[in-house]
Amino acid sequence: MCGRYSYGKKWGTAATKDLGIEISEYSVGDVTPGMSPIVISADEAGIKAQNMHWGMDSEKYGLIINAKAESLFEKPMFSKSIELRRLIIPCEKFYEWDRAERRITFSIDSEDVMYLAGLYDIAKNEISFAIITTSANESMAPFHDRMPLIIKKDEVKEWLRDSSSTKDFLAQPMPKLTAVKENQQISLFDNI
């Protein structure tokens, strides 16, 4: 699962360079469900950056922030979106929490920006998205059984534009991630 990610200071410049699109004004900091961060999508006019709401509304399940790669084509909520409305969520890192509730930061060492795969839909006059997740690889498995589907920067345009290769992307192995456990917060008042 992916329930929080972060923009660093370099992501906008890196994404502009990698994708050949202009991302001039961009945020820095954590992104959580319910926010409307910048995502990358494509239409007849080309590839564009725009803000979309993170979380697809479901009457049965509430706010859906992740979608499992293995069942996208079978689930009515996602089947049209995976075929026609794929997107990319640029980020510097994403987070999970261990059993002791310490935050673990995941990133790719050699990259200023990661490109997470997602899909979007339009409902109730709002464009909203979910991050696609897949089975955890060796670097993620000690912490969680799921991880975001990560698209290589040189394959982003194909992911956005070529629906014939979507199933191949959903099955490809994920890159090695670096995991950093953040120090547990210690209160000076615990022993008083």
Side-chain angles (χ1 to χ4, degrees):
M1 186 159 130
C2 182
R4 181 175 293 199
Y5 63 90
S6 180
Y7 291 132
K9 293 179 181 175
K10 299 177 184 177
W11 82 267
T13 305
T16 296
K17 180 182 162 210
D18 293 346
L19 306 177
I21 59 173
E22 186 62 33
I23 305 175
S24 55
E25 291 186 30
Y26 53 88
S27 300
V28 173
D30 286 358
V31 179
T32 58
M35 294 176 77
S36 294
I38 292 176
V39 297
I40 312 295
S41 62
D43 59 19
E44 302 80 32
I47 295 173
K48 61 183 178 179
Q50 68 184 77
N51 294 86
M52 285 188 196
H53 183 262
W54 183 11
M56 299 168 76
D57 240 349
S58 164
E59 288 182 24
K60 187 174 182 181
Y61 300 107
L63 196 66
I64 306 293
I65 62 169
N66 297 140
K68 288 185 175 184
E70 299 85 349
S71 59
L72 293 174
F73 287 95
E74 290 81 45
K75 300 253 181 179
M77 181 173 188
F78 303 125
S79 61
K80 233 6 173 190
S81 291
I82 191 60
E83 185 181 334
L84 303 172
R85 296 182 290 269
R86 294 174 305 283
L87 57 75
I88 289 292
I89 302 99
C91 70
E92 180 182 304
K93 54 193 169 187
F94 67 91
Y95 308 108
E96 288 297 342
W97 281 260
D98 67 10
R99 289 191 176 105
E101 297 187 19
R102 285 180 300 228
R103 187 164 82 168
I104 305 160
T105 302
F106 295 91
S107 62
I108 300 174
D109 279 344
S110 61
E111 303 293 331
D112 289 329
V113 62
M114 279 191 290
Y115 296 104
L116 311 183
L119 47 79
Y120 68 96
D121 199 9
I122 303 166
K124 301 177 185 171
N125 294 323
E126 181 173 60
I127 305 174
S128 58
F129 75 92
I131 295 173
I132 297 172
T133 64
T134 188
S135 296
N137 66 8
E138 290 177 3
S139 59
M140 186 73 187
F143 307 101
H144 204 283
D145 63 342
R146 306 289 302 168
M147 68 184 290
L149 182 71
I150 300 168
I151 305 293
K152 297 173 191 160
K153 66 182 169 187
D154 58 339
E155 295 179 333
V156 165
K157 291 178 184 176
E158 184 181 356
W159 165 258
L160 294 173
R161 293 210 171 268
D162 184 4
S163 60
S164 68
S165 60
T166 301
K167 287 185 179 180
D168 293 334
F169 278 110
L170 297 176
Q172 72 183 7
M174 292 294 95
K176 182 177 187 237
L177 300 174
T178 299
V180 176
K181 281 189 180 183
E182 296 187 11
N183 293 333
Q184 194 169 8
Q185 191 82 11
I186 299 172
S187 171
L188 297 174
F189 303 103
D190 284 346
N191 297 324
I192 296 178

